[in-house]
Amino acid sequence: QVHLVESGGELVQVGGSLRLSCAASGRTFSGYAMGWFRQAPGKEREFVATISRLGGSTTYSDSVKGRFTISRDNARNTVDLQMNSLKPEDTAKYYCAAGLYGTTLRYYDYWGQGTQVTVSS
């Protein structure tokens, strides 16, 4: 089992920046690829970014590429999502997930409870 806890979500203005963090506990953190997903009200949960077990590979959705950066620290069991140039359409609840390196929900076995990001214009 892997327990994931997200933090860092808040209300931010358009064009602003925010850094989300996910802390993991339980089984060996470096044994899992880590992903960030988001879900806006009335919409399906969608892929945002993923990072491989040792951090050597990353993949982003087209909607965040160039604005968001995913990183991990295997010594601290954390994965972060740096979000820059935020837009109103980035408003969603953001979820951290652990599993295999992939861009769909089915690759991930463990999920956090989410942290809310609201981008205000």
Side-chain angles (χ1 to χ4, degrees), residues 32-106:
Y32 296 93
M34 298 298 297
W36 283 97
F37 289 75
R38 66 187 182 186
Q39 188 167 18
K43 295 189 176 181
E44 293 186 352
R45 193 171 297 190
E46 65 174 7
F47 168 74
V48 174
T50 184
I51 188 166
S52 59
R53 294 182 297 115
L54 301 182
S57 296
T58 57
T59 300
Y60 298 90
S61 69
D62 288 343
S63 62
V64 308
K65 198 174 297 182
R67 300 188 298 122
F68 290 11
T69 302
I70 188 171
S71 61
R72 67 187 296 162
D73 184 339
N74 286 348
R76 296 175 56 238
N77 289 0
T78 59
V79 58
D80 291 348
L81 184 69
Q82 177 66 42
M83 306 187 295
N84 298 329
S85 302
L86 283 162
K87 305 175 181 180
E89 51 263 44
D90 294 319
T91 295
K93 195 165 190 179
Y94 284 71
Y95 296 87
C96 172
L100 299 176
Y101 189 73
T103 60
T104 60
L105 278 70
R106 66 183 181 92

Side-chain angles (χ1 to χ4, degrees), residues 1-9 19-30 32 34-36 71-81 94-98 110-115:
Q1 282 282 356
V2 177
H3 183 59
L4 303 172
V5 179
E6 303 94 336
S7 63
R19 189 175 185 90
L20 305 183
S21 188
C22 173
S25 60
R27 300 187 68 177
T28 306
F29 180 69
S30 61
Y32 296 93
M34 298 298 297
W36 283 97
S71 61
R72 67 187 296 162
D73 184 339
N74 286 348
R76 296 175 56 238
N77 289 0
T78 59
V79 58
D80 291 348
L81 184 69
Y94 284 71
Y95 296 87
C96 172
Y110 304 102
W111 294 83
Q113 293 301 304
T115 186

